[in-house]
Amino acid sequence: MKILVTGGAGYIGSHTVVELQKQGHQVVIVDNLSNSSADVIDNIVKISGVAPVFEKFDLTDQALTADFFKRHSNIDGIIHFAAFKAVGESVANPLMYYRNNIQSLINILEGMKVNKIPYLVFSSSCTVYGQPDELPVKETSPIKEAFSPYGFTKQVSEAIIRDSVVAYPGIKAIALRYFNPIGAHDSALIGELPLGVPNNLLPFITQTAIGIRQELNVFGSDYNTPDGTAVRDYIHVVDLAQAHVIAVDRMISRKSKAPMEVFNLGTGNGLTVLEVINSFERVSGVKLNYRLVERRPGDVEKVWADTAYANEELGWKAKKAVDEMTLSAWKWELALADRKK
Ligand code: UFG
């Protein structure tokens, strides 16, 4: 099938393109490269031996997006990753987030409606749950007030898709709520490429270990958790990527139980920040320079997924354990350093 992957040069997008091609899907990538690089496309080709079609433009541009769909009206399905994703940046510049994340989704849905493209997989986030009252968090758990404009864009996007599948019965959708994706492809050819100082834990750990950063701050050590540091459900990016292929196939083979379905994508295991650091030190043999500091504003204390629904309905289960995740992130950082030499 011919699948459009928006944001296909990005972190989760690039891993998903590789998995789609492995399963024989034909991929068209649209990416404006605002948070990635054209080298990623070359590396996808090195891994899979197949060149995806690549078009560089901004999906917030209505005319360009409409023109793209006119030229690619035979697309069978879309996986929509392209979006801004930094929580702190969204607080500082909410309008940029609303314009980018919402406008691109609207343009894509219009393209689907006009060109009768039936299937959409949407990148959502566990951020839609805020700090859940009950853990593990289920897909049916209440959507709490968003902690950031970024989180709000994910809530609004899900609502826009839900309204669209009702109004335009030709469109079916699956929203995948990611927990914390980490790690990199086994080949160390694709991985997370943070611009500037990383916000997320794993890139900060690997950059500290390799000497790009002096010290890792562990945000908060007084949480109500086993060791006082915050708990998240870390999932290997390749496990996550594979779930997207399954979601596309589910819609194409008409197994969906509703016009819009929602699935949690996590491992079901909560890990503290210190547990992740311990895993990293164990697999890399590098002692990390870290310090316990104040909580980071906007962080929730703990969240991990109830994965039963995704496991049963998608027939999918995250396979990789934390040591594989941290080791692959380390190999990726080492490979990046090698390439810069
Ligand atoms: N952390 C540190 N030091 C750092 C970076 C992170 O201690 O330098 C801690 C955070 O405080 C948090 C944990 O590591 O306790 C994970 O933090 P990340 O920034 O890696 O991930 P978040 O859980 O904050 O954010 C992720 C995604 C968001 C998404 C959110 C939903 O990056 O896009 O999950 O909960 F919105």
Side-chain angles (χ1 to χ4, degrees):
M1 294 285 165
K2 185 166 167 181
I3 310 296
L4 164 63
V5 181
T6 76
Y11 175 42
I12 308 173
S14 57
H15 289 81
T16 301
V17 170
V18 166
E19 296 305 316
L20 283 165
Q21 292 186 327
K22 222 168 147 180
Q23 298 305 317
H25 291 292
Q26 220 186 315
V27 175
V28 180
I29 294 176
V30 171
D31 200 303
N32 64 1
L33 302 183
S34 66
N35 190 21
S36 56
S37 98
D39 295 349
V40 175
I41 313 279
D42 296 339
N43 288 336
I44 289 173
V45 180
K46 278 187 201 151
I47 296 170
S48 58
V50 184
V53 174
F54 170 50
E55 293 208 15
K56 179 177 177 250
F57 72 91
D58 193 325
L59 288 154
T60 62
D61 187 315
Q62 199 175 359
L64 287 180
T65 308
D67 175 67
F68 167 85
F69 280 117
K70 227 185 257 167
R71 289 181 289 108
H72 292 274
S73 58
N74 60 344
I75 282 172
D76 297 293
I78 301 175
I79 307 183
H80 179 42
F81 292 106
F84 292 152
K85 58 170 186 177
V87 174
E89 185 184 55
S90 79
V91 174
N93 203 343
L95 296 182
M96 182 173 106
Y97 269 67
Y98 293 132
R99 188 199 316 279
N100 188 67
N101 291 7
I102 307 296
Q103 185 63 51
S104 58
L105 175 67
I106 293 171
N107 290 345
I108 285 165
L109 286 164
E110 273 172 353
M112 293 179 74
K113 183 180 138 223
V114 171
N115 297 286
K116 302 196 167 28
I117 299 169
Y119 307 121
L120 175 70
V121 176
F122 176 68
S123 288
S124 191
S125 165
C126 68
T127 193
V128 300
Y129 298 119
Q131 176 59 68
D133 296 329
E134 280 178 37
L135 288 165
V137 65
K138 288 186 174 48
E139 288 83 349
T140 48
S141 297
I143 298 297
K144 297 274 195 70
E145 195 181 331
F147 270 54
S148 68
Y150 161 75
F152 191 50
T153 68
K154 292 298 174 191
Q155 294 181 344
V156 171
S157 295
E158 284 196 12
I160 290 172
I161 296 168
R162 194 163 287 115
D163 288 344
S164 298
V165 300
V166 171
Y168 318 119
I171 299 179
K172 307 272 179 278
I174 291 182
L176 299 175
R177 292 179 180 158
Y178 312 150
F179 284 68
N180 287 52
I182 60 170
H185 193 262
D186 267 352
S187 62
L189 283 165
I190 52 172
E192 194 168 1
L193 273 174
L195 278 185
V197 183
N199 291 302
N200 297 117
L201 181 61
L202 252 289
F204 212 107
I205 287 179
T206 55
Q207 289 198 2
T208 306
I210 210 160
I212 299 173
R213 312 277 154 214
Q214 292 256 301
E215 184 178 55
L216 167 75
N217 286 326
V218 173
F219 298 127
S221 54
D222 59 348
Y223 286 115
N224 180 24
T225 61
D227 59 26
T229 63
V231 171
R232 297 286 183 277
D233 184 338
Y234 297 91
I235 174 169
H236 196 287
V237 66
V238 172
D239 279 329
L240 193 72
Q242 287 169 350
H244 290 74
V245 184
I246 294 170
V248 166
D249 290 345
R250 176 180 176 86
M251 286 189 284
I252 290 173
S253 56
R254 298 175 186 273
K255 288 194 189 128
S256 297
K257 295 204 165 140
M260 177 177 178
E261 295 184 308
V262 174
F263 295 100
N264 282 344
L265 295 184
T267 64
N269 300 317
L271 291 173
T272 65
V273 175
L274 290 180
E275 284 170 329
V276 176
I277 291 175
N278 289 340
S279 160
F280 177 81
E281 290 185 332
R282 196 163 53 233
V283 301
S284 67
V286 179
K287 194 95 198 72
L288 260 188
N289 186 24
Y290 69 86
R291 196 159 59 102
L292 305 178
V293 300
E294 290 296 294
R295 294 179 180 196
R296 183 171 68 176
D299 270 351
V300 300
E301 180 170 82
K302 47 190 166 193
V303 62
W304 64 94
D306 186 319
T307 60
Y309 189 60
N311 296 162
E312 279 160 31
E313 279 297 320
L314 298 178
W316 165 91
K317 199 171 179 12
K319 295 188 212 82
K320 294 180 193 275
V322 64
D323 283 1
E324 269 182 277
M325 304 186 208
T326 52
L327 181 61
S328 68
W330 181 228
K331 285 184 175 163
W332 162 244
E333 189 69 59
L334 291 172
L336 272 181
D338 256 2
R339 268 181 253 150
K340 277 188 202 136
K341 273 183 196 158

